[in-house]
Amino acid sequence: MSFEKLADILFPSIEKTPEYYLEKYPKRNLKEGAVVCRYAPSPTGFQHIGGVFAALINERVASQSEGVFFLRIEDTDQKREVKGAIVDTIETMKNFGMNFNEGATGEETEVGNYGPYRQSLRKEIYSTFAKDLVKKGLAYPCFCTAEELNATREKQMAEKVTPGYHGEYATCRNISAEDAIKRIENGESYIIRLKSPGNPENRVEFHDLIKGDTSFPENNQDIVIIKSDGLPTYHFAHAIDDALMRTTHVIRGEEWLSSLPIHVQLFDVLGFDRPNYAHIPTIMKNDNGSKRKLSKRKDAEAAVSYYKEVGYPTESVIEYLLNIINSSYEDWRSENPDADYHEFPVALDKMSKSGALFDIVKLNDVSKDVISKFKADKVYNDYTNWAKEFDKEMFELVTAKEDMSKEMFNIDKEGPKPRKDFAKWDEVKEKIFYFFDELFYNETEENIELPKTLSLEVAKEVIKTYAKEFNFNAGSQEAWFDDLKAIGLNLGYCANRKEYKANPENYKGMISDVAGAVRAALSHRANTPDLYTIMQIMGEEKVRERFEKFL
Ligand code: GLU
């Protein structure tokens, strides 16, 4: 009876019962094997690439099984909350193609029958379950101050026992309900702890869907379930929310693996069925031969914002993350070059159990492939969207010449070996600047790149003749090249590598040097896509002007 009174004093305004909520949020009516899972970020402002990684795995697993994928905002740590972070997270997830079936859709909006999907709006629910535990003598108020807890910790260190609030050290465990009520009425502040029924001598066997079979000692810590601000801890909120939202699979970062004994115990004490768990390996990076976590402080690529700023298409990031999720993705992709990634079956049990290695060089390769498959119109749209925010000058130049820009993005695209010259949008400027006089004529002679076999002087010699004799309207790539070759032969350049190698003294160089000179005059670069097409896009007038200025 006295526990009941204590529960009423702790939660005077709570009138509902756990049964009420268990009925309100019934088991979902889904087909056999459908997975219900979630992405559950905390709105702390910084979005780590590991978050996108976790969300993608959850989204794939739910969608593949015709289950439900929902977004839950875990905002119970109000000190760490950053204004605007919820909307920013939702936007980011949308950009990465995460289609949530349910959950928060904005700061104040949501869809779905299992909400609220924002933990700070679920206080009454957590209180209801906590009140019920107190009533049953399974949870209790703890009045220990920070100083007292510190003193206990020090004593435990000295005695070489496991630190924490357990056994004889859990001093508030044994306060009678009557005494607790008195202290509450005296205005002492408190938190609510679980009265752990665990004994660390017993082991719990557990199967993690990624990590495989594990076992661990039962939890015996009287963990905090409700903090002094009345909000739940992560542990308690996780158990209540995932039970009431009918989550079948908790797929989350492996940093939570060590809390699993607590979570399993909470589900048991609360009388809930345990969900399946899958703990995702942390994203690691190779740092001079040693593996370490991708760090928010040291690695720009840890932040999701980085990919946007430098201009990786979200498609590339997803494609790359799928490569890390399942190593079989790479083979699948080469067998299905044009398939939608949604067709690849993600398998949790095929994930690497240790760290997932993040490699920016590999990301670049993947991204070049991905962009090479985009149509020119999409390249144009995505690039200008990026440039609008991150490179105003390029935005102005490219949009002012939309048709030309699209043609330029289309060079060497349609053939069997499409060009793969950029991995991210901030690399585009260097690859296309020469189409724009405003950028091209800003360059000095030092910027001119030539084939190793060619000096600037000789290049100018070549252009002197070429500019006079070339036929702009040759009609085809082949005819244009024949024309260039003829001019080159006349000038004493050789068309045959073997012949040239045998008697280099008989020639000024190779025909490739002639093309190199033309390329340098038009672009200042030694490597460009197809020169004939570049000239056609520039038009005869600009080409002639470039030759003149080159001389
Ligand atoms: N809010 C937790 C985090 O940000 C979510 C962990 C989970 O998925 O349960 O790490």
Side-chain angles (χ1 to χ4, degrees), residues 38-42 72 74 119 234 238 242 250-253 255-256:
R38 77 290 192 285
Y39 179 53
S42 300
R72 180 170 72 225
E74 305 215 318
Q119 290 183 330
Y234 168 77
H238 154 52
D242 284 315
V250 172
I251 307 173
R252 62 181 177 187
E255 66 274 20
W256 295 109

Side-chain angles (χ1 to χ4, degrees), residues 466 471 474 476-484 531-532 535:
Y466 185 80
N471 176 10
S476 72
Q477 214 267 343
E478 292 74 40
W480 166 82
F481 188 70
D482 286 344
D483 178 60
L484 180 138
L531 197 46
Y532 169 70
M535 287 168 72

Side-chain angles (χ1 to χ4, degrees), residues 37-78:
C37 58
R38 77 290 192 285
Y39 179 53
S42 300
T44 54
F46 182 84
Q47 292 189 65
H48 195 283
I49 189 67
V52 178
F53 186 54
L56 180 61
I57 297 169
N58 275 282
E59 188 272 338
R60 291 289 69 234
V61 169
S63 164
Q64 276 167 207
S65 64
E66 294 173 48
V68 175
F69 175 48
F70 65 86
L71 175 66
R72 180 170 72 225
I73 303 295
E74 305 215 318
D75 59 345
T76 55
D77 190 350
Q78 305 208 308

Side-chain angles (χ1 to χ4, degrees), residues 185-346:
E185 285 173 345
N186 276 341
E188 270 189 61
S189 67
Y190 59 84
I191 52 170
I192 312 280
R193 289 184 186 273
L194 177 76
K195 196 180 280 175
S196 168
N199 175 356
E201 317 234 300
N202 301 335
R203 287 192 81 81
V204 184
E205 305 286 330
F206 201 84
H207 181 75
D208 184 280
L209 297 177
I210 295 174
K211 303 271 175 185
D213 289 331
T214 51
S215 78
F216 43 77
E218 275 177 13
N219 169 59
N220 70 333
Q221 301 269 349
D222 284 0
I223 54 123
V224 180
I225 57 172
I226 303 284
K227 301 179 289 179
S228 57
D229 60 5
L231 285 169
T233 52
Y234 168 77
H235 307 307
F236 196 56
H238 154 52
I240 303 292
D241 291 348
D242 284 315
L244 295 183
M245 294 177 181
R246 306 293 177 173
T247 305
T248 63
H249 289 54
V250 172
I251 307 173
R252 62 181 177 187
E254 68 182 351
E255 66 274 20
W256 295 109
L257 191 58
S258 59
S259 307
L260 196 54
I262 295 173
H263 299 160
V264 165
Q265 182 176 65
L266 273 170
F267 274 83
D268 294 352
V269 169
L270 287 159
F272 300 150
D273 290 340
R274 295 178 190 172
N276 294 295
Y277 283 92
H279 287 91
I280 304 168
T282 306
I283 295 193
M284 310 290 275
K285 152 172 189 153
N286 191 335
D287 189 4
N288 285 324
S290 64
K291 254 190 177 185
R292 63 165 174 79
K293 277 191 201 171
L294 253 197
S295 130
K296 173 173 162 179
R297 221 165 20 85
K298 292 189 214 151
D299 310 308
E301 70 269 31
V304 175
S305 55
Y306 168 77
Y307 301 86
K308 187 175 174 190
E309 280 158 25
V310 301
Y312 283 105
T314 52
E315 290 91 334
S316 301
V317 179
I318 294 173
E319 184 79 7
Y320 177 60
L321 292 178
L322 286 164
N323 272 285
I324 315 186
I325 293 173
N326 280 165
S327 57
S328 56
Y329 188 80
E330 194 163 355
D331 287 341
W332 177 85
R333 176 50 86 204
S334 45
E335 280 157 30
N336 305 278
D338 299 313
D340 188 320
Y341 75 83
H342 294 97
E343 289 168 28
F344 173 79
V346 164

